[in-house]
Amino acid sequence: MPNPVVRFDGVRFAYGETDILRDVSLSVVPGQVVAIMGGSGSGKTTLLRLIGGQLRANAGRVEVDGEDMATLSESALYERRKKLGMLFQFGALFTDLSVFDNVAFPLRERTDLPESMVRDLVLMKLQAVGLRGAAKLMPAELSGGMARRVALARAIALDPRVMLYDEPFTGLDPISLSTIGSLIRELNDALGAASIVVTHDVAESLAIVDYVYFLAEGRVIAEGTPDSVRESAHPFVRQFVGGEKDGPLPFHKPAGPYATDLGLEDGRHD
C-alpha cells in the first residue's frame, strides 16, 4: 500500500467553543477515490478547507504529501495549492471569461508557460471532458452539466496530486450526473491522483469510489468499501444509504409534549 497523500490524524477543529470536527482520522492514497458522506452540518466541507489550508486544525495533524498543512508559511502554502485541484459546488466559473480562458486561468496564473503551450494544454483538458468544441462559448451559454465539466477541466489544468470535489452532483440531471461521475473516476485513474468527494448522492458515489467515510456530529462514525457500506448493519449507514426519514438522525427536533404546546390537557382545549 503506498503512503497516504492525504492523512488526518486525530484532527479537531472548532469555531470558538463549537466543535465542528472531533478526533477525525482518515487517509487517502494515490489512485483512490474516497467519498465523505454525512448530513448537513457534519463537517464535510470543513474537512476540505483543512486540506486546502484555508483553515488550520486546533489539534491533530492534517498532512498532504507528508507536510503538516498547519505549519506551512504563506508562500509554501501557495506552492502546495498548485498540487491541489478543486471542483466547487455549481462550478464557480468566471462569468466574464470564455470557456477557454476559464480553463487557461490557473495555467496563466501559476506557471510561466508560453501561450502556445497554454493553448495546447487547455484544448487537451477540454478534450478530456468532451467540450473542446465549446472553447469559445461563455458560461451563460452552457447547460449546468456542461458548466460543471468546464469547471472540472479547469480543476485538472495543473495535473493535481489531490482532487477535491464539493458536492459535484448537486443540481444535475441524471445524464449529466452520470457523466460527471464517470469523469471523476476516469480522470483520477489517468492522473494517478487521490480524489476526495464530499457528497450526498449515495448511488452515484458508491458506483465510482473505492472507500467511504461517514461523518456525523463531527466524527467518523463508520467507514468501508462500497460493498461493505451496502451491506452494513450500522444504524446511521442504513438510514443514510436507504434515505430513511427516522433513525440516528431523527425527523423531529426534540421538543416538549405536543399537547402541552397546543394548550391541551386531558383531551380538552383550555
Side-chain angles (χ1 to χ4, degrees), residues 7 33 68 73 81 95 182 193 204 223 234 250 267:
R7 188 171 75 92
V33 179
D68 185 349
S73 66
R81 285 175 178 161
T95 56
S182 297
E204 189 62 40
E223 61 183 90
H234 191 289

Side-chain angles (χ1 to χ4, degrees), residues 26 64 75 78 100-101 145 169 176 184 205 234 249:
L26 57 84
V64 178
S75 60
Y78 183 82
F100 182 96
D101 288 331
F169 307 122
S176 296
I184 289 172
S205 298
H234 191 289
L249 293 179

Side-chain angles (χ1 to χ4, degrees), residues 8-26 36-39 41-51 55-62 198 213-221:
F8 279 55
D9 184 12
V11 171
R12 174 183 174 268
F13 178 80
Y15 288 111
E17 297 300 317
T18 304
D19 281 346
I20 306 301
L21 296 177
R22 303 176 179 89
D23 194 28
V24 170
S25 295
L26 57 84
I36 309 294
M37 296 187 183
S42 59
K44 302 185 301 298
T45 299
T46 296
L47 187 147
L48 295 184
R49 290 172 178 165
L50 287 165
I51 295 171
L55 300 174
R56 300 199 176 195
N58 299 100
R61 289 172 62 90
V62 178
V198 163
Y213 290 95
F214 287 91
L215 287 181
E217 297 182 346
R219 299 181 186 276
V220 175
I221 61 164

Side-chain angles (χ1 to χ4, degrees), residues 12 25 50 52 55-56 58 81-82 86 107 109 113 116 145 201 217 221 229 244 253 255 261:
R12 174 183 174 268
S25 295
L50 287 165
L55 300 174
R56 300 199 176 195
N58 299 100
R81 285 175 178 161
K82 291 181 181 180
M86 178 75 184
L107 294 164
E109 179 73 14
L113 294 173
S116 60
D201 195 290
E217 297 182 346
I221 61 164
V229 164
E244 299 168 2
K253 182 81 173 174
D261 283 350

Side-chain angles (χ1 to χ4, degrees), residues 1-253:
M1 178 72 73
N3 292 328
V5 68
V6 173
R7 188 171 75 92
F8 279 55
D9 184 12
V11 171
R12 174 183 174 268
F13 178 80
Y15 288 111
E17 297 300 317
T18 304
D19 281 346
I20 306 301
L21 296 177
R22 303 176 179 89
D23 194 28
V24 170
S25 295
L26 57 84
S27 62
V28 187
V29 301
Q32 268 193 323
V33 179
V34 170
I36 309 294
M37 296 187 183
S40 298
S42 59
K44 302 185 301 298
T45 299
T46 296
L47 187 147
L48 295 184
R49 290 172 178 165
L50 287 165
I51 295 171
Q54 293 99 324
L55 300 174
R56 300 199 176 195
N58 299 100
R61 289 172 62 90
V62 178
E63 295 182 357
V64 178
D65 264 343
E67 293 184 305
D68 185 349
M69 296 299 285
T71 66
L72 297 182
S73 66
E74 185 174 348
S75 60
L77 187 58
Y78 183 82
E79 289 300 313
R80 169 52 57 198
R81 285 175 178 161
K82 291 181 181 180
K83 295 299 183 182
L84 298 177
M86 178 75 184
L87 182 63
F88 298 95
Q89 191 173 357
F90 301 113
L93 295 178
F94 298 114
T95 56
D96 294 334
L97 298 181
S98 68
V99 164
F100 182 96
D101 288 331
N102 262 280
V103 179
F105 182 85
L107 294 164
R108 292 167 173 163
E109 179 73 14
R110 295 186 167 181
T111 74
D112 296 318
L113 294 173
E115 193 61 24
S116 60
M117 188 171 293
V118 169
R119 178 183 181 278
D120 290 347
L121 288 171
V122 170
L123 294 178
M124 183 187 304
K125 302 307 179 182
L126 287 174
Q127 177 72 10
V129 300
L131 290 176
R132 183 167 50 84
K136 296 181 180 179
L137 298 180
M138 299 298 289
E141 300 176 275
L142 305 175
S143 67
M146 291 172 68
R148 206 72 56 89
R149 283 193 277 160
V150 172
L152 181 52
R154 182 180 63 184
I156 64 170
L158 294 172
D159 293 339
R161 284 269 291 162
V162 179
M163 272 296 304
L164 307 176
Y165 297 89
D166 190 6
E167 299 289 358
F169 307 122
T170 299
L172 296 179
D173 63 78
I175 296 175
S176 296
L177 189 151
S178 178
T179 299
I180 292 296
S182 297
L183 284 171
I184 289 172
R185 181 76 254 180
E186 292 167 7
L187 293 172
N188 187 82
D189 292 345
L191 293 170
S195 292
I196 300 174
V197 184
V198 163
T199 180
H200 290 107
D201 195 290
V202 175
E204 189 62 40
S205 298
L206 293 183
I208 65 168
V209 304
D210 301 298
Y211 206 77
V212 183
Y213 290 95
F214 287 91
L215 287 181
E217 297 182 346
R219 299 181 186 276
V220 175
I221 61 164
E223 61 183 90
T225 64
D227 285 342
S228 68
V229 164
R230 293 185 185 98
E231 299 169 2
S232 176
H234 191 289
F236 178 86
V237 175
R238 288 176 63 88
Q239 182 187 9
F240 198 88
V241 173
E244 299 168 2
K245 183 175 70 174
D246 259 322
L249 293 179
F251 173 68
H252 285 287
K253 182 81 173 174

